[in-house]
Amino acid sequence: MKPEGLQTYLNSTHISHELKKIADKVLSNKRISFEEGVLLFEKADLGFVGALAHVVKHKKTGDKVFFNRNFHVEPTNICVYTCSFCSYSRLIKQKEEGWELSVTQILDIIKKWDDKPVTEVHITGGVIPKQDFNFYTELFQKIKQHRPQLHIKALTPVEYHYIFKKAKISYADGMKAMKEAGLGSMPGGGAEIFAPEIRDQIAGGKCSAQEWLSIHEEWHKLGGKSNATMLYGHIEKFHHRIDHLEQLRQLQDKTGGFNAFIPLKFRNKDNQMSQVPEASIIEDLRNYAISRIYLDNFDHIKAYWAMIGRSTAQLALHFGADDLDGTIDDTTKIYSMAGAEEKNPALSTQQLVELIKQAGLRPIERDTLYHTVHDFSELPVETE
Ligand code: V47
Ligand code: SF4
């Protein structure tokens, strides 16, 4: 919906004064407050937030939708932590059910992509003592020696916090060393929900919200870019979601270092929170839309199709999202093990392009830092 159309919609339907006030603010590029964010979650219906979010998306990126060509490497699924939402990790004591790759094994995986036009490798997984500071600096150096143009998007503050603590070095020195070794950017994982009363229940023991934010801040100070996520739809309340978005918005005001925000829908298969029902698709779309509206200083909202499925991801493109992540293959297990729709997530470039075109939008292949690699607008769409 265009801004003019939205104004007509706002005038013609029965919308409360307080919601109209929020709409006026958003349409005149003013930032909404914490209380207004919570109010949107509590009172606004999908049509309302969706129309507003689509206008915001349009102002930021027009009708472009981004994706990249990437692949995932998960160095281990064994973990010293026991997050209750995690279906993926195996405790050190259940080691026989897990995998633990060496630097050489990871390089062998990377070499399998040598003749493919991928621009990024996304590396993340569990946390184990063996995969320490030296392991990762050696790995990054060797990847860069092998394929200098491949962008390394690797490890979250959960991993860095553990690695730096063990090596007894500061976040600032640690991130500097990772940059020198070849780190290109940081993915958004490990953020979960910042509010300690929820974080302690679902992700107790791993880095705190403050530590997560500090590591990103140190990385941004070095000129690095990163993403941010939020795990939603479990035991948190709406005000916890807005608190999370607020802390991200504040850091982004300070550093400008975040590329994209990625809402991650809690999936409940085979984990300690299986009794918690999953959010509905309506709630998923409202969450995309309100995130788009609230994070006025983030350029991109990513709908991670491997997690929510390609149909919901396609719909999310009309509720504020402008990025679908990438053409990952079945090397990521984090979501399929937690019950995501996509059991063997793989989408070819042509399929992603068609998905975006069917939504009436313009597919742009990007690199990790959102430079255009190829504009696919002109490719014909195969409908079936
Ligand atoms: O931090 C784990 C989440 C995250 C479950 O930056 C779960 O481009 C839902 O952050 N239900 C890791 N979510 C993945 C991640 C990511 C993914 C894609 C792109 C990018 C990026 C980052 O996965 C974890 C955690 O929040 N997760 N288990 C689950 N049961
Ligand atoms: Fe470990 Fe990450 Fe799973 Fe938590 S979410 S148990 S830190 S792999």
Side-chain angles (χ1 to χ4, degrees), residues 200 229 233 292 313:
D200 291 349
T229 58
R292 177 59 290 172

Side-chain angles (χ1 to χ4, degrees), residues 70 72 83-88 120 122 124 153 156 158 186-193 206 212 226-232 260 262 264-269 271 278 302 304 307 325 332 334-335 337-339 366 370:
N70 66 353
H72 286 227
C83 304
S84 45
F85 57 83
C86 184
S87 318
Y88 161 83
E120 170 190 291
H122 179 163
T124 194
K153 183 174 82 180
T156 71
V158 176
M186 263 165 73
E192 323 314 357
I193 276 279
K206 70 183 190 187
W212 190 97
S226 62
N227 292 333
T229 58
M230 173 175 76
L231 181 72
Y232 72 93
I262 311 152
L264 293 173
K265 175 194 178 90
F266 163 67
R267 310 306 307 242
N268 67 5
K269 188 168 164 253
N271 54 43
E278 292 183 0
K302 191 186 278 190
Y304 185 44
M307 163 64 87
D325 201 72
T332 180
I334 298 179
Y335 308 104
M337 287 168 89
R366 61 163 175 88
Y370 287 84

Side-chain angles (χ1 to χ4, degrees), residues 160-169 171 174-175 178:
Y160 287 123
H161 169 76
Y162 180 89
I163 288 169
F164 298 157
K165 212 171 143 201
K166 193 160 167 281
K168 296 191 173 55
I169 50 172
Y171 291 164
M175 290 319 297
M178 292 297 160

Side-chain angles (χ1 to χ4, degrees), residues 208-265:
S208 67
Q210 199 41 56
E211 289 160 344
W212 190 97
L213 291 160
S214 299
I215 291 178
H216 279 269
E217 188 171 348
E218 290 304 334
W219 179 240
H220 295 170
K221 277 192 211 158
L222 297 168
K225 293 283 184 180
S226 62
N227 292 333
T229 58
M230 173 175 76
L231 181 72
Y232 72 93
H234 42 87
I235 58 168
E236 89 288 3
K237 301 271 186 279
F238 291 144
H239 67 91
H240 296 124
R241 291 191 205 173
I242 294 292
D243 169 71
H244 192 94
L245 298 180
E246 175 59 29
Q247 298 202 50
L248 292 175
R249 195 166 77 172
Q250 283 182 17
L251 181 55
Q252 181 73 332
D253 275 345
K254 207 165 157 187
T255 66
F258 287 116
N259 272 333
F261 174 68
I262 311 152
L264 293 173
K265 175 194 178 90

